[in-house]
Coordinates of all heavy atoms in Angstrom, one line a residue:
P1 N 0.8 -1.2 0.0 CA 0.0 0.0 0.0 C 0.8 1.2 0.0 O 0.3 2.4 -0.2 CB -0.8 -0.1 1.3 CG -0.8 -1.6 1.6 CD 0.4 -2.1 1.1
F2 N 2.2 1.2 0.2 CA 3.0 2.3 0.2 C 3.9 2.4 -1.0 O 4.8 3.3 -1.1 CB 3.9 2.3 1.5 CG 3.1 2.2 2.7 CD1 2.8 0.9 3.3 CD2 2.4 3.3 3.2 CE1 2.0 0.8 4.5 CE2 1.6 3.2 4.3 CZ 1.4 1.9 5.0
D3 N 3.8 1.6 -2.0 CA 4.5 1.9 -3.2 C 3.6 1.4 -4.5 O 2.8 2.2 -4.9 CB 5.9 1.1 -3.2 CG 5.8 -0.3 -2.7 OD1 5.0 -1.1 -3.4 OD2 6.4 -0.6 -1.7
L4 N 3.8 0.2 -5.0 CA 3.0 -0.2 -6.2 C 1.6 -0.7 -5.8 O 1.4 -1.9 -5.7 CB 3.8 -1.4 -6.9 CG 5.2 -1.0 -7.4 CD1 5.8 -2.2 -8.2 CD2 5.2 0.2 -8.3
R5 N 0.8 0.3 -5.7 CA -0.6 -0.1 -5.3 C -1.3 -0.7 -6.6 O -1.3 -0.1 -7.7 CB -1.4 1.2 -4.9 CG -1.0 1.7 -3.5 CD -0.9 3.2 -3.4 NE 0.2 3.8 -4.1 CZ 0.4 5.1 -4.3 NH1 -0.6 5.9 -3.8 NH2 1.4 5.6 -4.9
G6 N -1.8 -1.9 -6.3 CA -2.4 -2.6 -7.5 C -2.0 -4.1 -7.5 O -2.6 -4.9 -8.1
Y7 N -1.0 -4.4 -6.7 CA -0.5 -5.7 -6.5 C -0.8 -6.2 -5.1 O -0.6 -5.4 -4.2 CB 1.1 -5.8 -6.7 CG 1.4 -5.5 -8.1 CD1 1.7 -4.3 -8.6 CD2 1.7 -6.6 -9.0 CE1 2.0 -4.0 -9.9 CE2 2.1 -6.3 -10.4 CZ 2.2 -5.0 -10.7 OH 2.6 -4.8 -12.1
Y8 N -1.3 -7.4 -5.0 CA -1.6 -8.0 -3.7 C -0.4 -7.9 -2.8 O 0.8 -8.3 -3.3 CB -2.1 -9.4 -3.7 CG -3.5 -9.5 -4.2 CD1 -3.8 -10.0 -5.5 CD2 -4.7 -9.0 -3.4 CE1 -5.1 -10.2 -5.9 CE2 -5.9 -9.2 -3.9 CZ -6.2 -9.7 -5.2 OH -7.5 -9.8 -5.6
M9 N -0.5 -7.7 -1.5 CA 0.6 -7.7 -0.5 C 1.2 -9.1 -0.6 O 0.6 -10.1 -0.3 CB 0.2 -7.3 0.8 CG 1.2 -7.4 1.9 SD 2.3 -6.0 1.9 CE 1.3 -4.9 2.9
G10 N 2.5 -9.2 -0.9 CA 3.2 -10.5 -0.9 C 3.1 -11.2 -2.2 O 3.5 -12.4 -2.3
Q11 N 2.3 -10.7 -3.2 CA 2.0 -11.4 -4.4 C 3.4 -11.7 -5.1 O 3.6 -12.7 -5.8 CB 1.1 -10.6 -5.3 CG 0.7 -11.4 -6.6 CD -0.4 -10.6 -7.3 OE1 -0.8 -9.5 -7.0 NE2 -0.9 -11.2 -8.4
Y12 N 4.3 -10.7 -5.0 CA 5.6 -10.9 -5.6 C 6.7 -10.7 -4.5 O 6.8 -9.7 -3.9 CB 5.8 -9.8 -6.7 CG 5.1 -10.2 -8.0 CD1 3.7 -9.7 -8.1 CD2 5.5 -10.9 -9.1 CE1 2.9 -10.0 -9.2 CE2 4.8 -11.2 -10.1 CZ 3.5 -10.8 -10.2 OH 2.7 -11.1 -11.3
R13 N 7.5 -11.7 -4.4 CA 8.5 -11.7 -3.3 C 9.8 -12.5 -3.8 O 9.7 -13.5 -4.5 CB 8.0 -12.2 -2.0 CG 7.8 -13.7 -2.0 CD 7.4 -14.2 -0.6 NE 6.0 -13.8 -0.3 CZ 5.5 -13.8 0.9 NH1 6.2 -14.0 1.9 NH2 4.2 -13.4 1.1
D14 N 10.9 -11.9 -3.5 CA 12.2 -12.6 -3.8 C 13.2 -11.9 -2.8 O 12.9 -11.2 -2.0 CB 12.6 -12.3 -5.2 CG 13.4 -13.5 -5.7 OD1 14.2 -14.1 -5.0 OD2 13.2 -13.9 -7.0
K15 N 14.5 -12.2 -3.1 CA 15.5 -11.7 -2.2 C 15.9 -10.3 -2.6 O 16.5 -9.6 -1.8 CB 16.8 -12.6 -2.2 CG 16.6 -13.9 -1.5 CD 17.9 -14.7 -1.3 CE 17.8 -15.8 -0.4 NZ 19.1 -16.6 -0.2
S16 N 15.4 -9.8 -3.7 CA 15.8 -8.4 -4.1 C 14.6 -7.8 -4.8 O 14.0 -8.3 -5.7 CB 17.0 -8.5 -5.0 OG 17.5 -7.1 -5.3
S17 N 14.3 -6.6 -4.4 CA 13.1 -5.8 -4.9 C 13.5 -4.4 -5.2 O 14.1 -3.7 -4.2 CB 11.9 -5.9 -4.1 OG 10.9 -5.0 -4.3
H18 N 13.1 -3.8 -6.3 CA 13.4 -2.4 -6.6 C 12.2 -1.7 -7.1 O 11.5 -2.3 -8.0 CB 14.6 -2.3 -7.6 CG 15.7 -3.3 -7.4 ND1 16.6 -3.2 -6.3 CD2 16.0 -4.4 -8.0 CE1 17.4 -4.2 -6.4 NE2 17.1 -4.9 -7.5
V19 N 12.0 -0.4 -6.8 CA 10.8 0.3 -7.2 C 11.2 1.7 -7.6 O 12.0 2.4 -6.9 CB 9.7 0.4 -6.1 CG1 8.7 1.4 -6.5 CG2 9.1 -1.0 -5.8
V20 N 10.7 2.2 -8.7 CA 10.7 3.6 -9.1 C 9.3 4.1 -9.4 O 8.5 3.4 -10.0 CB 11.7 3.9 -10.3 CG1 13.1 3.6 -10.0 CG2 11.2 3.0 -11.5
M21 N 9.1 5.3 -8.9 CA 7.6 5.9 -9.0 C 7.7 7.3 -9.0 O 8.6 8.0 -8.5 CB 6.8 5.5 -7.8 CG 6.4 4.0 -7.7 SD 5.2 3.7 -6.3 CE 3.9 4.7 -6.9
A22 N 6.7 8.0 -9.8 CA 6.4 9.4 -9.8 C 4.9 9.6 -9.5 O 4.2 8.9 -10.1 CB 6.9 10.0 -11.1
E23 N 4.6 10.6 -8.7 CA 3.2 10.9 -8.3 C 2.9 12.4 -8.3 O 3.7 13.1 -7.7 CB 3.0 10.2 -6.9 CG 1.5 10.4 -6.5 CD 1.3 9.6 -5.3 OE1 1.2 8.3 -5.4 OE2 1.0 10.0 -4.1
Y24 N 1.9 12.7 -9.0 CA 1.5 14.2 -9.0 C 0.4 14.2 -8.0 O -0.7 13.6 -8.0 CB 1.0 14.6 -10.4 CG 0.4 16.0 -10.4 CD1 1.3 17.1 -10.4 CD2 -0.9 16.2 -10.5 CE1 0.8 18.4 -10.3 CE2 -1.4 17.5 -10.5 CZ -0.6 18.6 -10.4 OH -1.1 19.9 -10.4
R25 N 0.4 15.3 -7.1 CA -0.6 15.6 -6.0 C -1.1 16.9 -6.1 O -0.3 18.0 -6.2 CB 0.1 15.3 -4.7 CG 0.7 13.9 -4.5 CD 1.5 13.8 -3.3 NE 2.1 12.4 -3.1 CZ 3.0 12.0 -2.2 NH1 3.5 13.0 -1.4 NH2 3.5 10.8 -2.2

C-alpha cells in the first residue's frame, strides 16, 4: 500500500526488490 498499489501484498517476493515511481498531487 506504500508503493506499487495494485499488486496484492506479498504477491511478488524474492531476495531483491526495486521500485521507481512518480506521483502528482
Side-chain angles (χ1 to χ4, degrees):
F2 303 100
D3 47 60
L4 299 183
R5 288 145 284 173
Y7 293 84
Y8 286 112
M9 177 79 83
Q11 185 174 5
Y12 288 88
R13 70 178 74 200
D14 211 327
K15 287 191 172 183
S16 190
S17 166
H18 322 287
V19 170
V20 291
M21 292 184 65
E23 182 168 294
Y24 176 74
R25 304 168 181 171

